[in-house]
Structures are given as C-alpha cells and as structure tokens.
Amino acid sequence: MRGRPRRLALCADDFGQSKEISAGIFDLIACKRVSATSVLTEGPDWPQSSWRLRELQSHADIGVHLNLTHPFEKTSGNRPLLYWLLLTQLGLVSRDWVLQRFLKQIDLFVKYFKRLPDYLDGHQHVHAFPILREALMDAIDTHWAAGSRLPWVRSPDRLVDSGGTPGKALILRAACRGFASAAKAKGLPITEKFGGLYALQPEAKFEQRMRRWLHEVPSGTLLMVHPGRPTVDFDDPICNARAAEFSYLASTRFADDCHSAQVRLVRFADL
C-alpha cells in the first residue's frame, strides 16, 4: 500500500535578478512546480514584474532574498561572499549598517507588493551569518508588530545533504551554526530541514540530484532551486544551470518523479 505523501517546499531563488529568471519562475509557480519564490528586490526586474507575481500569490509563498553579495547597478556596499564569511567570524561588521540594507530591501518589497513578505532568507545564505542574523532579527522587530504573524526564515544550518559539494557544505554549516536555535528563541517559524545545495553547473546533473532528493530527504524539508529561462548572460555565472533546472522542473519528468517519490509540494505553513 502507498503511504501518506511526503511534504516538501520547493523555493525558487533570485526572482527579480533578470527578466529570464523571473519569467521562468512565473511559469513554474503557475503550473505548481514550485511552492515559494525569493525576491531580490534591488534586482532590475523586480518593479516591473511585481504586479504579475501579486496575481500568483495564492499559489506560493513570496519572500525577500536579502542580498549583500550580488552587485546591482544602483546598489553600493555589496561585497563577495568571502568578505562576509571572514568579517562576520571576526566580528568586524556594522550591525546597524546591515540593518539599514535589510530594511531598504524589505521596504522595496512592500512598495511594489503592497504587503510584507511571507518569509525572509538570504542570497548565499548571508542572513544566517553571525552579526547579520542579529540585523535580520532587528529588521523583523522594525517591520512586524508585536503579536503579529512573524515571517518564516530559512535555516541553512539544518542542511540535510551536501549535494556532492562537501567543502561547500562544511563552510555553510560552520558559518550558519546556531541560526535555527537563535530563530526559535526569537519565536520565528523556521523550516526545520534544508536542502538543494550543489555545484550549480550543468555537469553537476541537477535532474539526477533532484530525483534523489525527492526520494530521500525527510518530509518537511525546504529545497532551494535556481531556475530561469534559457539565455546568454555573461553577468550570471550560473545561467546554464538555471536553464537545466527550468527544463527539468517544467517537464512531465519532474511531475512523474514527485508522484513516484510520493511527494507533495506545499507552502511553508503546511510543512
């Protein structure tokens, strides 16, 4: 006899980074192949795509992908991931400066989406690093009234699978150590398990990895993905991986694989 469906959330990151990424995520939300998307609100495609995403908000959770690493034309102060990895461990980051960056990005979401986001996470997981996580908590205190429904947060320290990148997984777990406990102490709802880490290159065989995750990760896991419509974008080093992810997630193969694994894609509240 078939057992009860396992519940997973599938979150498409980087909405708003480009037209092709946003368009691919639109397609996947509309056909219910992802159950959440994280918005880069300083991205060039965010303002003009926000209205269409509002029309699909009953289909998926919509959150803010807090960014300190990706350089956009009209932003300043963003630095490579290694900068934040080193300086947060040394305690050499201004919590107030980071708070202002986070508040600006949340404000840009509210300006165009007309409400607060369902959840918060971070581009390259910076929201969970020391000091940066305190700025995240401050931002939540600023925007969410006492007693209101607080946003979900992603817990990268609860990584379930290295995705063939053991070094990357080791660094992520170390950099984000203790985040889930801190979020719980703050009363924030968290995604207890997290997956989707891999090399983000076509040769990493996303389809095979996703098929394995569908069958093996625990029920209640949040899996991140990075799909986008095919394009040539020299400013996006993972554009080929995005196209490969989109091709599979939009296909009947993915739907069949979910059915075979007895997986139901759900929003965070239903995990």
Side-chain angles (χ1 to χ4, degrees), residues 6-234:
R6 289 162 46 254
R7 294 170 295 172
L8 304 178
L10 196 62
C11 180
D13 287 355
D14 303 339
F15 186 96
Q17 181 174 322
S18 71
K19 292 180 179 178
E20 292 79 13
I21 292 171
S22 297
I25 294 173
F26 280 139
D27 293 343
L28 295 174
I29 293 175
C31 64
K32 299 183 179 180
R33 300 297 174 82
V34 298
S35 57
T37 189
S38 297
V39 177
L40 288 164
T41 61
E42 294 177 329
D45 192 54
W46 168 237
Q48 64 189 23
S49 291
S50 59
W51 65 271
R52 188 177 174 195
L53 193 59
R54 289 202 309 271
E55 293 179 346
L56 293 174
Q57 63 183 303
S58 63
H59 290 65
D61 289 307
I62 314 296
V64 172
H65 207 41
L66 295 166
N67 174 45
L68 296 173
T69 60
H70 189 91
F72 289 118
E73 184 178 347
K74 296 181 180 180
T75 62
S76 61
N78 289 352
R79 298 289 186 271
L81 178 62
L82 182 60
Y83 174 94
W84 299 108
L85 284 169
L86 292 176
L87 267 67
T88 54
Q89 297 302 314
L90 296 172
L92 300 177
V93 175
S94 167
R95 174 172 169 176
D96 185 64
W97 182 88
V98 175
L99 171 61
Q100 297 310 310
R101 292 284 289 112
F102 286 174
L103 289 175
K104 179 182 177 183
Q105 294 173 52
I106 296 170
D107 287 342
L108 283 169
F109 183 92
V110 174
K111 178 179 179 180
Y112 294 103
F113 208 70
K114 311 304 181 186
R115 68 169 174 84
L116 287 167
D118 297 312
Y119 65 94
L120 300 170
D121 60 31
H123 189 56
Q124 297 186 304
H125 316 294
V126 295
H127 71 290
F129 294 0
I131 305 176
L132 310 187
R133 69 181 63 164
E134 282 77 36
L136 170 74
M137 308 297 181
D138 293 343
I140 292 171
D141 284 342
T142 300
H143 270 295
W144 277 264
S148 65
R149 179 181 296 177
L150 297 176
W152 288 80
V153 292
R154 181 182 295 184
S155 300
D157 54 332
R158 297 294 181 89
L159 186 66
V160 297
D161 181 273
S162 71
T165 57
K168 193 174 179 180
L170 180 65
I171 292 170
L172 179 63
R173 288 189 177 105
C176 302
R177 183 175 59 250
F179 176 79
S181 297
K184 282 186 173 182
K186 184 72 174 178
L188 298 174
I190 67 169
T191 52
E192 290 283 354
K193 301 294 182 181
F194 171 66
L197 189 73
Y198 79 109
L200 288 171
Q201 297 299 323
E203 58 268 24
K205 300 179 179 179
F206 171 78
E207 180 170 341
Q208 289 89 330
R209 293 195 181 280
M210 178 57 76
R211 189 172 292 119
R212 177 180 173 183
W213 290 328
L214 290 174
H215 282 86
E216 295 184 2
V217 300
S219 185
T221 297
L222 161 66
L223 292 172
M224 66 173 176
V225 291
H226 299 82
R229 286 186 181 173
T231 187
V232 176
D233 185 349
F234 296 110

